[in-house]
Amino acid sequence: MTSDYTQLLNNLETLKLIEIKNRIDEITGLVSSNNISFTEGLLKLTNMEIDHRKESIVRSMVKVGAFPFIKEVKDFDFDFQPSINKQEILELENLGFIDRAENIVFLGPSGVGKTHLATAIGIAAAKRRNITYFIKCQDLITQLKKAKAENRLEDRIKHFNKYRLLILDELGYLPIDKEDSKLLFQLIDKRYEKKSVIITTNINFGEWDEVFGDPVIANAILDRILHHAKVISINGKSYRLKDHINKENKNNE
Ligand code: ADP
Ligand code: MG
């Protein structure tokens, strides 16, 4: 015959109370040694289950985000990049911009931390259950192009529009021809004043004409992005180069 204990474990499994199942021995131990009451024990177990579920939602939201790495604002060395106002970044991490459907543009040369900060804010958003997605601009365009060729552009734009926060990384690293610019415009226009976008780019706004195949579309995109946007201009040294230089110094020692 199955023992009460085994039946209890089976019941917890059936009810999907996995964390309670994992921690039951620990808490029954405390109850039987009279350290805590039965009610206190149950309270502890149910709190553990609730915390465990919250953590697993956070984990899955971050996974959905498809971030290139897991780096947060706390991992950013602001001393290394004095052109960045730390307070401003901490304010962005509070996510008010998402409620106001505002955008963020990180502008600056390679290696200064644009992708790091965009990712960090994206992770903060995902952790607070804002559905977020990170994608390189070029990959987004490839997907939209493919969808158009397959007559399902509208669906694809709808798909990218479902994210509360969309991060477009590396805009302008590669030139975008007129047809592709139009595709990007459609998505930006759909989200305009409704949902936030974070963009990282190395291209000054004055030079967007040259990146996009068409100056009119370039302007239309820029207009919608910048109308309600916080622009974080970073002009400093590359962090990647810093590691490189350190390594070389070590090798020379
Ligand atoms: P960018 O997108 O501007 O080219 P990244 O954000 O990809 O640069 O940064 C390059 C690498 O250096 C990443 O691994 C990033 O985490 C790291 N990094 C950049 N700036 C900093 C910083 N100030 N503090 C800590 N790590 C940094
Ligand atoms: Mg980058």
Side-chain angles (χ1 to χ4, degrees):
M1 215 181 74
T2 3
S3 70
D4 285 353
Y5 178 72
T6 310
Q7 278 187 53
L8 173 60
L9 292 187
N10 287 341
N11 284 354
L12 290 172
E13 186 140 341
T14 304
L15 292 168
K16 297 200 161 52
L17 297 168
I18 302 307
E19 193 60 10
I20 294 187
K21 185 181 167 218
N22 289 340
R23 309 289 288 272
I24 191 96
D25 292 349
E26 175 191 329
I27 301 301
T28 41
L30 286 177
V31 172
S32 52
S33 61
N34 272 334
N35 280 339
I36 58 172
S37 71
F38 180 68
T39 308
E40 280 171 329
L42 272 183
L43 178 62
K44 268 192 198 300
L45 282 170
T46 47
N47 279 337
M48 285 166 173
E49 184 68 32
I50 288 169
D51 288 347
H52 179 77
R53 287 185 188 192
K54 278 189 189 152
E55 282 161 22
S56 87
I57 289 171
V58 163
R59 264 197 306 276
S60 73
M61 289 294 292
V62 171
K63 206 168 165 200
V64 165
F67 301 105
F69 39 63
I70 299 299
K71 291 191 181 181
E72 304 190 52
V73 173
K74 65 174 164 48
D75 304 316
F76 196 80
D77 179 1
F78 286 91
D79 292 335
F80 182 81
Q81 213 56 266
S83 71
I84 300 175
N85 178 342
K86 183 176 180 181
Q87 279 316 313
E88 210 166 36
I89 303 298
L90 293 177
E91 176 58 31
L92 291 173
E93 201 190 17
N94 286 335
L95 309 178
F97 75 98
I98 291 181
D99 294 330
R100 299 188 296 271
E102 291 169 359
N103 304 320
I104 305 173
V105 180
F106 289 103
L107 171 65
S110 186
V112 292
K114 302 182 298 296
T115 301
H116 183 137
L117 290 173
T119 297
I121 293 168
I123 290 172
K127 282 186 168 179
R128 302 230 310 253
R129 299 200 195 187
N130 297 281
I131 181 159
T132 298
Y133 192 65
F134 178 105
I135 187 167
K136 284 193 182 190
C137 199
Q138 213 52 45
D139 294 341
L140 174 79
I141 287 172
T142 303
Q143 287 197 32
L144 293 179
K145 235 166 133 159
K146 185 162 179 276
K148 191 177 178 215
E150 293 166 358
N151 254 328
R152 46 177 190 87
L153 179 61
E154 208 173 312
D155 273 3
R156 207 61 198 151
I157 287 186
K158 238 186 230 163
H159 164 81
F160 284 115
N161 199 34
K162 80 177 182 194
Y163 296 106
R164 189 116 201 269
L165 174 61
L166 186 65
I167 303 175
L168 298 186
D169 196 37
E170 300 191 348
L171 187 142
Y173 278 59
L174 295 171
I176 306 170
D177 71 25
K178 184 170 177 178
E179 284 313 303
D180 292 353
S181 303
K182 280 187 192 162
L183 298 176
L184 186 63
F185 170 79
Q186 286 184 55
L187 178 61
I188 297 291
D189 186 54
K190 195 92 181 169
R191 296 182 65 91
Y192 173 59
E193 294 193 321
K194 293 191 188 76
K195 286 172 177 172
S196 300
V197 179
I198 299 180
I199 286 177
T200 80
T201 182
N202 58 345
I203 306 292
N204 286 317
F205 301 127
E207 291 155 25
W208 279 39
D209 279 14
E210 293 156 35
V211 168
F212 292 92
D214 183 303
V216 177
I217 302 172
N219 246 312
I221 294 176
L222 201 54
D223 239 35
R224 278 161 184 75
I225 291 171
L226 292 184
H227 186 193
H228 309 286
K230 181 121 227 143
V231 177
I232 310 286
S233 280
I234 314 174
N235 38 52
K237 292 173 288 183
S238 165
Y239 199 84
R240 289 195 192 100
L241 218 53
K242 175 203 119 165
D243 288 346
H244 192 66
I245 290 163
N246 281 346
K247 249 181 244 155
E248 283 200 337
N249 287 347
K250 273 197 192 112
N251 288 343
N252 290 339
E253 272 166 19

